[in-house]
Amino acid sequence: MPTEKKISSASDCINAMVEGSELKKVRSNSRIYHRYFLLDADMQSLRWEPSKKDSEKAKIDIKSIKEVRTGKNTDIFRSNGVSDQISEDCAFSVIYGENYESLDLVANSADVANIWVTGLRYLISYGKHTLDMLESSQDNMRTSWVSQMFSEIDVDDLGHITLCSAVQCIRNLNPGLKTSKIELKFKELHKSKDKTGTDVTKEEFVEVFHELCTRPEIYFLLVQFSSNKEFLDTKDLMMFLEAEQGVAHINEEISLEIIHKYEPSKEGQEKGWLSIDGFTNYLMSPDCYIFDPEHKKVCQDMKQPLSHYFINSSHNTYLIEDQFRGPSDITGYIRALKMGCRSVELDVWDGPDNEPVIYTGHTMTSQIVFRSVIDIINKYAFFASEYPLILCLENHCSIKQQKVMVQHMKKILGDKLYTTSPNVEESYLPSPDVLKGKILVKAKKLSSSCSGVEGDVTDEDEGAEMSQRMGKENTEPANHVPAKRFQLCKELSELVSICKSVQFKEFQASFQAQKYWEVCSFNEVLASKYANENPGDFVNYNKRFLARVFPSPMRIDSSNMNPQDFWKCGCQIVAMNFQTPGLMMDLNVGWFRQNGNCGYVLRPAIMREEVSFFSANTKDSVPGVSPQLLHIKVISGQNFPKPKGSGAKGDVVDPYVYVEIHGIPADCAEQRTRTVHQNGDAPIFDESFEFQVNLPELAMVRFVVLDDDYIGDEFIGQYTIPFECLQTGYRHVQLQSLTGEVLAHASLFVHVAITNRRGGGKPHKRGLSVRKGKKSREYASLRTLWIKTVDEVFKNAQPPIRDATDLRENMQNAVVSFKELCGLSSVANLMQCMLAVSPRFLGPDNTPLVVLNLSEQYPTMELQGIVPEVLKKIVTTYDMMIQSLKALIENADAVYEKIVHCQKAGTSRPLEIRQERDRGEPEADPLRGSLLRTQQARHRKRRRPEAAAEPRGHTREGKR
């Protein structure tokens, strides 16, 4: 049977409206009525039935319609008691009459809603000339171009071409289409016409091309910005790029460049028009991928101490399967280093013929020669990144073979080895920038008091050591757990510089005695215990010291731990089993994409600043960090393959999409779309989700596509991206396989918007979440440090910060009110508001009712004569918004100056602060205690005391 026809033009929308469809009519009394709506054949009226009104009253004249709004953006929708049960994507409103009344409707699907919105807007634009426009559009630019493609194949001008040629041509124009699907479409068309033979005429070729190569969701988007034309001109494209895609400094030249690059027809290129095919090409190009291209290169400050970065790290790098029986191979190192890994593990044991070997001790894994691994590391160490590589050396060799190790490392790695002794006058590790091109050895090191050629150190067998410690924990203090010892030669010890392996005892001892160049390793079980029981101390510990977390030895299948569990505590080196794909490895790979895949990611400021306080297990907003609302609309999918492990199943899939947020506990969430049955080629989802992200710098978004009707395997594809790398607007998400390869032509089409929490909230609860009275407002506050001098000085900063909060809330409330009057949701930006409201500024005879005065610093709206009440409201609300903005900006400088004055007052009294601090008891406040211990250990290089009272919501660099 022929498949359902796609919408590919305004004519299709009008025809569908004439046939009619069932819509739900929403009333202010919370009642919903099911009515059949249709467009009169003469296209002059919109009617519905059944109705208690007579037929002449149950209609709206098309010429009386002022606008058509999408979503739940009228007073009736906002105040309706069942609004939260209505999908935002299925709702739309017809605004009509001089009093701007609304007819609020809900379609059965987002696709049906789009048909009505597009058709009605077309009718509003062209009125009585609609028929003429529809007829002229039949011979449009697109049809001419497709016909030209046909003529280029039909070189003998026969009027028909072979089925094979037609299929190949369409496949060349749309590589994601399956050959079988194109052939089936031609056969369906021929059967519907009772045609014998397989040759394809020009008309058939054009029809099938329109049917298969038109994406309705992109067509609806095009007409939204093209003023209902079948193409975008340079000004339309400029508006789309600036209002939706967030492209700054856009001009007509840039628009023209895009048109020349993506428009396939010569006519379009010459006229500066972008057709539906050119627009589709653009939206599917790398220019519109969801990943921000700025993050494809190193874009973060690389001059911070090494401890201020997350470091891409591998565990048992030599393994290519499980860690009990799996083979060892040098390809493990090649794979990891090519993926940007900056910390690899070498588990070294005595081997035959006086050659050390690498394998997992006490298991049946195979062995590889140490020398060959060093050769590979030398070759690939800086293949993907120029920043330092850490060799985690787990040494189990005899003195004799340790000397062989040293010889190989010195001979092969040479000057790349970093052996400079740490500067005891410093307090932090060198930066990745300083250590470019260097290889650091992390291993045991002899005491400086050792004068011989060898000495005694604790064993490096992490698995045995940690298992032993965990077993003894209930009966003995952790620092009394006996550890095996072995002999270390001085030559190998001297290769260790700023990554000396030491055993962790407890946080207070580390704050007082640990050197900045000493590194502790934590079994994941022990690290999880500290993360849950001492989250604040763990974060503070990782501000100065490197912490390496490795998987439990019980993971004999080489499964992976969740790296987010330890990144949230600031742990820099979270070692992953690179050979094991899955969710955890997706998170690791996705996370380290954000800084040019260089293997180093700068941690959030709240995890670096010495005096900030952050608990890894916070289940609420983070002090000093502005929460963000992430709005994601999953629109459609393209060319989903069947799951790899679903061998017994046919090619048809029933896809659905999960959108997951990974980060601190307060941010972790997931939502899923409905299932689209038996359509993996072009499923339409059209579902919107909203997530509050409290610590954006540590959050990731993961898209997962699954099959709802699977045999054996449900996984279709995924893509994981750091929150900071999201591009807003309409974006394509390139899906990846379980092992990380890009799936050819498989993608998701989504819309992304990010707003401040106070400017958003769920649409139906916007009044509660945004318009806060002074009593319910959350004011920024200062943390008491129990250092009287500092606390008193910064007390003076509290009133102006409170005033600034009031001004900000007033401003945001005014913005939300303006968006509502413009008929838009809280996700919209101000440019979209101006685009939506500007048509109302013209009267029936095209005389201006409202003009914008751009001569002042802030644009003002001026009424021209008598105007409808709704326009007066818009102008009044706009004025309120501008006045709030002025007050906020004028106040910001005063607030900032007050804070700077407080900081100066604090720095002018260091002696009082120091005396009071030294008199205090560290245990009085956990933050203050860790601060005191840290400062006592760093008496040679003190931090500025004024940073202690940094107010929430502000940065030292300036006003936010």
Side-chain angles (χ1 to χ4, degrees):
M1 295 295 292
T3 54
E4 187 179 343
K5 184 175 173 59
K6 276 187 183 178
I7 299 295
S8 62
S9 66
S11 178
D12 293 337
C13 294
I14 299 294
N15 290 336
M17 290 164 64
V18 170
E19 290 179 14
S21 54
E22 185 180 277
L23 303 173
K24 297 169 189 170
K25 184 180 176 186
V26 182
R27 299 292 297 272
S28 56
N29 57 6
S30 297
R31 291 189 179 182
I32 296 178
Y33 303 90
H34 292 260
R35 297 286 182 260
Y36 196 82
F37 284 77
L38 68 161
L39 179 68
D40 276 354
D42 61 2
M43 293 183 286
Q44 298 300 307
S45 301
L46 172 65
R47 295 182 179 274
W48 59 93
E49 54 189 35
S51 173
K52 292 179 181 177
K53 301 176 182 178
D54 61 59
S55 59
E56 287 305 306
K57 289 186 177 180
K59 70 171 186 175
I60 294 175
D61 290 337
I62 296 298
K63 62 184 178 183
S64 72
I65 297 176
K66 303 294 184 184
E67 64 173 299
V68 182
R69 294 181 189 173
T70 57
K72 300 179 288 188
N73 292 307
T74 63
D75 289 338
I76 288 179
F77 269 130
R78 292 186 192 110
S79 60
N80 192 286
V82 294
S83 181
D84 56 339
Q85 301 170 24
I86 297 171
S87 167
E88 181 85 11
D89 306 300
C90 297
F92 66 100
S93 302
V94 180
I95 311 300
Y96 65 97
E98 292 304 315
N99 295 321
Y100 287 78
E101 298 174 70
S102 68
L103 173 64
D104 299 287
L105 304 170
V106 181
N108 292 326
S109 70
D111 218 23
V112 172
N114 283 328
I115 289 170
W116 280 91
V117 169
T118 302
L120 287 171
R121 285 176 174 170
Y122 202 94
L123 290 166
I124 295 168
S125 294
Y126 298 111
K128 61 184 180 182
H129 302 295
T130 299
L131 277 173
D132 298 334
M133 292 300 299
L134 290 174
E135 287 173 8
S136 65
S137 68
Q138 297 304 312
D139 186 27
N140 60 18
M141 180 172 68
R142 187 188 196 199
T143 303
S144 302
W145 168 65
V146 177
S147 300
Q148 186 183 346
M149 294 290 104
F150 180 90
S151 300
E152 289 175 5
I153 303 171
D154 184 21
V155 290
D156 297 327
D157 202 21
L158 300 174
H160 58 80
I161 58 176
T162 64
L163 177 62
C164 183
S165 299
V167 169
Q168 190 57 47
C169 181
I170 290 178
R171 239 202 114 229
N172 290 342
L173 296 170
N174 195 333
L177 285 173
K178 296 173 185 172
T179 300
S180 58
K181 183 173 182 178
I182 305 171
E183 288 177 350
L184 181 62
K185 186 58 67 176
F186 278 115
K187 289 175 182 176
E188 285 177 357
L189 185 60
H190 288 165
K191 188 167 186 178
S192 67
K193 295 180 178 180
D194 294 327
K195 178 180 174 180
T196 57
T198 59
D199 285 348
V200 176
T201 65
K202 181 189 289 186
E203 291 72 23
E204 291 167 346
F205 182 79
V206 171
E207 185 175 344
V208 169
F209 177 86
H210 277 245
E211 185 80 8
L212 293 178
C213 298
T214 304
R215 287 175 51 183
E217 71 275 23
I218 292 182
Y219 172 74
F220 292 136
L221 182 60
L222 180 139
V223 295
Q224 181 183 334
F225 281 88
S226 68
S227 302
N228 302 298
K229 303 187 295 293
E230 298 291 311
F231 58 85
L232 294 168
D233 59 30
T234 53
K235 289 185 177 176
D236 297 330
L237 184 56
M238 278 175 61
M239 206 62 73
F240 171 76
L241 294 172
E242 198 167 6
E244 283 294 345
Q245 304 300 84
V247 180
H249 312 299
I250 195 73
N251 55 43
E252 287 197 55
E253 288 182 12
I254 295 174
S255 291
L256 208 52
E257 285 176 17
I258 291 172
I259 291 170
H260 288 158
K261 185 176 181 180
Y262 296 108
E263 173 54 41
S265 70
K266 288 184 179 178
E267 181 186 354
Q269 292 185 14
E270 289 169 359
K271 293 181 176 178
W273 293 349
L274 193 66
S275 68
I276 178 66
D277 301 290
F279 193 42
T280 303
N281 291 340
Y282 169 65
L283 288 174
M284 294 191 72
S285 73
D287 289 348
C288 289
Y289 286 168
I290 195 169
F291 190 88
D292 187 345
E294 287 297 312
H295 289 269
K296 289 186 176 179
K297 58 182 183 292
V298 176
C299 56
Q300 295 176 348
D301 178 10
M302 300 304 288
K303 296 182 180 179
Q304 298 276 336
L306 208 60
S307 60
H308 286 183
Y309 297 85
F310 296 114
I311 302 172
N312 197 357
S313 309
S314 165
H315 175 248
N316 288 353
T317 316
Y318 45 88
L319 292 179
I320 55 174
E321 290 181 19
D322 70 78
Q323 62 186 37
F324 186 68
R325 301 172 184 270
S328 304
D329 199 282
I330 57 172
T331 57
Y333 289 94
I334 297 172
R335 176 189 58 213
L337 292 170
K338 281 187 171 181
M339 290 174 69
C341 180
R342 294 289 84 197
S343 173
V344 296
E345 185 177 1
L346 297 87
D347 200 344
V348 193
W349 300 77
D350 280 353
D353 303 323
N354 200 34
E355 280 291 343
V357 292
I358 291 177
Y359 72 102
T360 304
H362 320 297
T363 67
M364 291 181 280
T365 57
S366 61
Q367 303 175 359
I368 48 177
V369 179
F370 176 79
R371 183 185 65 248
S372 63
V373 171
I374 298 300
D375 272 327
I376 286 297
I377 288 173
N378 183 54
K379 183 177 179 181
Y380 291 97
F382 304 104
F383 178 89
S385 171
E386 62 182 344
Y387 293 102
L389 173 67
I390 301 172
L391 304 185
C392 294
L393 207 59
E394 196 168 315
N395 172 26
H396 308 280
C397 291
S398 62
I399 293 293
K400 184 179 179 182
Q401 294 209 12
Q402 286 179 34
K403 291 180 179 179
V404 176
M405 289 168 59
V406 173
Q407 290 172 8
H408 290 326
M409 292 171 76
K410 284 185 174 180
K411 182 179 178 181
I412 297 170
L413 301 178
D415 292 340
K416 293 176 184 174
L417 283 170
Y418 184 83
T419 57
T420 306
S421 298
N423 184 348
V424 294
E425 297 295 321
E426 296 291 335
S427 300
Y428 283 93
L429 290 164
S431 69
D433 189 68
V434 168
L435 296 169
K436 275 183 186 176
K438 292 297 181 183
I439 295 176
L440 314 178
V441 178
K442 175 201 166 289
K444 293 290 182 177
K445 187 175 177 67
L446 294 173
S447 168
S448 56
S449 60
C450 179
S451 57
V453 293
E454 57 189 62
D456 189 55
V457 294
T458 55
D459 192 3
E460 190 70 10
D461 192 339
E462 292 174 339
E465 177 185 315
M466 284 300 176
S467 298
Q468 186 182 30
R469 288 183 61 200
M470 293 301 293
K472 298 262 186 177
E473 200 167 59
N474 293 331
T475 58
E476 296 182 58
N479 56 341
H480 290 148
V481 175
K484 292 190 293 183
R485 304 186 72 81
F486 76 105
Q487 293 296 109
L488 176 66
C489 79
K490 192 166 187 176
E491 294 172 76
L492 183 55
S493 174
E494 288 173 347
L495 294 184
V496 180
S497 171
I498 55 173
C499 290
K500 176 186 176 182
S501 292
V502 297
Q503 185 174 328
F504 180 79
K505 295 180 180 177
E506 49 94 25
F507 288 114
Q508 305 312 324
S510 296
F511 290 140
Q512 292 173 354
Q514 186 172 335
K515 306 294 189 296
Y516 72 84
W517 60 84
E518 294 176 337
V519 182
C520 292
S521 290
F522 299 83
N523 174 288
E524 69 166 294
V525 179
L526 194 62
S528 296
K529 176 177 178 289
Y530 291 141
N532 291 324
E533 296 178 7
N534 309 90
D537 282 337
F538 212 173
V539 172
N540 283 332
Y541 172 85
N542 287 321
K543 289 175 183 178
R544 285 191 65 213
F545 310 116
L546 285 177
R548 179 174 180 267
V549 181
F550 59 93
S552 166
M554 298 305 293
R555 293 183 181 272
I556 58 174
D557 59 350
S558 289
S559 59
N560 275 307
M561 54 194 173
N562 187 343
Q564 282 276 6
D565 289 343
F566 308 105
W567 289 338
K568 72 182 181 183
C569 300
C571 296
Q572 301 89 349
I573 306 174
V574 181
M576 304 292 288
N577 290 309
F578 272 52
Q579 73 273 26
T580 308
L583 165 61
M584 306 313 173
M585 202 58 209
D586 292 342
L587 295 177
N588 193 75
V589 171
W591 182 249
F592 285 101
R593 283 197 186 106
Q594 65 183 292
N595 193 26
N597 203 34
C598 75
Y600 287 83
V601 169
L602 189 63
R603 297 186 310 171
I606 201 165
M607 289 184 170
R608 305 192 312 265
E609 293 168 353
E610 192 166 314
V611 292
S612 61
F613 178 77
F614 169 68
S615 171
N617 291 330
T618 180
K619 291 182 170 57
D620 202 350
S621 57
V622 179
V625 179
S626 179
Q628 303 289 303
L629 274 181
L630 173 63
H631 311 261
I632 291 181
K633 181 178 182 179
V634 180
I635 302 171
S636 64
Q638 294 77 44
N639 309 311
F640 294 159
K642 72 173 184 178
K644 273 195 172 180
S646 247
K649 194 185 172 200
D651 288 337
V652 178
V653 296
D654 296 349
Y656 63 99
V657 182
Y658 262 107
V659 182
E660 304 168 351
I661 307 296
H662 297 267
I664 60 173
D667 292 341
C668 292
E670 65 179 24
Q671 295 194 55
R672 64 157 285 180
T673 66
R674 63 187 174 85
T675 299
V676 177
H677 294 285
Q678 298 189 352
N679 186 353
D681 295 328
I684 300 291
F685 299 101
D686 267 326
E687 289 191 57
S688 300
F689 307 117
E690 183 182 279
F691 304 92
Q692 179 168 308
V693 182
N694 295 286
L695 187 56
E697 288 177 278
L698 207 59
M700 279 190 285
V701 182
R702 185 170 184 256
F703 299 90
V704 192
V705 183
L706 302 172
D707 184 2
D708 209 7
D709 182 24
Y710 65 95
I711 299 175
D713 182 17
E714 62 178 340
F715 181 83
I716 294 174
Q718 68 84 32
Y719 186 78
T720 307
I721 178 172
F723 182 93
E724 298 285 291
C725 299
L726 289 171
Q727 287 206 98
T728 56
Y730 289 91
R731 304 290 171 184
H732 275 90
V733 180
Q734 283 189 301
L735 294 177
Q736 297 178 343
S737 69
L738 187 66
T739 51
E741 291 88 10
V742 174
L743 295 171
H745 312 300
S747 63
L748 283 172
F749 186 43
V750 301
H751 181 265
V752 179
I754 299 171
T755 60
N756 183 277
R757 181 180 62 173
R758 293 174 178 82
K762 291 190 177 179
H764 60 278
K765 295 180 180 176
R766 190 163 41 232
L768 297 176
S769 63
V770 177
R771 294 196 181 89
K772 296 178 180 176
K774 286 192 176 185
K775 290 183 180 178
S776 62
R777 286 179 181 171
E778 297 173 6
Y779 289 98
S781 60
L782 304 180
R783 184 177 175 83
T784 302
L785 294 183
W786 303 108
I787 300 175
K788 185 178 179 183
T789 310
V790 175
D791 291 336
E792 282 184 356
V793 166
F794 274 84
K795 201 179 289 182
N796 296 326
Q798 190 72 47
I801 292 174
R802 190 179 180 90
D803 293 342
T805 302
D806 286 335
L807 288 168
R808 181 179 62 185
E809 294 284 356
N810 294 342
M811 167 69 186
Q812 289 168 339
N813 289 345
V815 169
V816 172
S817 297
F818 183 64
K819 289 178 182 179
E820 289 180 351
L821 286 171
C822 293
L824 297 174
S825 69
S826 60
V827 182
N829 57 47
L830 290 181
M831 173 166 283
Q832 291 166 337
C833 290
M834 298 307 293
L835 282 174
V837 80
S838 56
R840 305 186 209 173
F841 292 170
L842 287 177
D845 53 353
N846 283 334
T847 56
L849 302 176
V850 178
V851 297
L852 274 171
N853 183 351
L854 304 178
S855 60
E856 302 294 328
Q857 182 182 3
Y858 301 97
T860 57
M861 288 185 182
E862 298 174 358
L863 296 172
Q864 305 294 301
I866 300 173
V867 298
E869 195 63 34
V870 68
L871 273 186
K872 287 182 182 178
K873 281 186 181 179
I874 289 173
V875 173
T876 303
T877 306
Y878 177 83
D879 287 343
M880 287 172 57
M881 184 176 69
I882 292 298
Q883 293 306 317
S884 299
L885 175 63
K886 283 182 182 178
L888 183 62
I889 291 174
E890 288 166 3
N891 177 266
D893 286 327
V895 173
Y896 182 60
E897 286 171 10
K898 186 70 175 177
I899 293 170
V900 170
H901 174 75
C902 291
Q903 290 178 334
K904 287 178 179 176
T907 53
S908 67
R909 301 162 72 181
L911 181 61
E912 296 172 50
I913 294 171
R914 187 160 60 250
Q915 288 172 342
E916 185 179 350
R917 183 198 63 213
D918 293 340
R919 286 196 304 268
E921 288 295 326
E923 286 71 24
D925 179 282
L927 172 64
R928 177 169 172 259
S930 62
L931 265 176
L932 293 181
R933 285 183 287 273
T934 304
Q935 289 178 339
Q936 287 160 3
R938 294 186 55 214
H939 63 278
R940 293 186 183 88
K941 189 176 181 180
R942 297 191 187 277
R943 302 278 289 193
R944 293 183 306 165
E946 71 269 23
E950 186 173 311
R952 299 177 188 175
H954 290 74
T955 62
R956 276 192 242 111
E957 291 79 8
K959 52 185 178 283
R960 181 174 292 167

